[in-house]
Amino acid sequence: LVPPVESGGGLVQSGGSLRLSCAAFDYYYNDNCMGWFRQAPGKEREGVASIHIGGGNTYYADSVKGRFTISRDNHEKLVYLETDSLQPEDTAMYYCAAGPRRACPGIVEAEFDYWGQGTQVTVSS
């Protein structure tokens, strides 16, 4: 199995837009849950959002609720994380992870089994 692979990170201006993609072909099944997590410098890794592949159920951390959107493309088997209002506090390494159905709705790290290597997002002021 090929682990999830993130892309789309980079240096983005504060207040700007960002779209991260997660290629998850080997884990893209109706019963699976896909999540986005992030780890800022000097901070513990935290959950950002999750989506159930089959039902589309979503869950967001309070810190990104209303600003970030998680979505999926069933044809391309991709999971996205998007925002049009980045803040400096969003600077972090962003990880995509796959888990079983029970992981959704939620962002409990221990419930996710397969992780990508991360993509760096740096928000400049």
Side-chain angles (χ1 to χ4, degrees):
L1 298 179
V2 178
V5 179
E6 307 92 337
S7 62
L11 179 62
V12 185
Q13 188 178 35
S14 180
S17 300
L18 182 74
R19 183 194 189 196
L20 302 180
S21 299
C22 175
F25 179 84
D26 286 343
Y27 307 93
Y28 204 95
Y29 299 99
N30 286 343
D31 284 345
N32 282 2
C33 177
M34 300 296 301
W36 283 98
F37 299 78
R38 67 185 183 184
Q39 186 168 22
K43 303 291 185 179
E44 295 184 0
R45 188 156 60 187
E46 64 176 348
V48 177
S50 67
I51 185 167
H52 181 244
I53 298 299
N57 313 63
T58 59
Y59 185 91
Y60 297 93
D62 289 341
S63 59
V64 303
K65 193 176 301 180
R67 295 194 300 116
F68 281 46
T69 299
I70 187 170
S71 61
R72 72 207 196 280
D73 185 322
N74 288 333
H75 179 69
E76 300 294 334
K77 298 185 177 180
L78 295 173
V79 178
Y80 302 104
L81 184 69
E82 300 175 85
T83 181
D84 60 2
S85 57
L86 278 169
Q87 301 174 2
E89 294 75 23
D90 295 321
T91 294
M93 182 74 74
Y94 283 73
Y95 300 90
C96 178
R101 180 170 58 186
R102 66 175 180 270
C104 285
I107 46 173
V108 177
E109 183 174 336
E111 293 293 326
F112 293 81
D113 303 308
Y114 305 100
W115 294 74
Q117 292 185 302
T119 183
Q120 178 67 42
V121 174
T122 303
V123 183
S124 64
S125 60

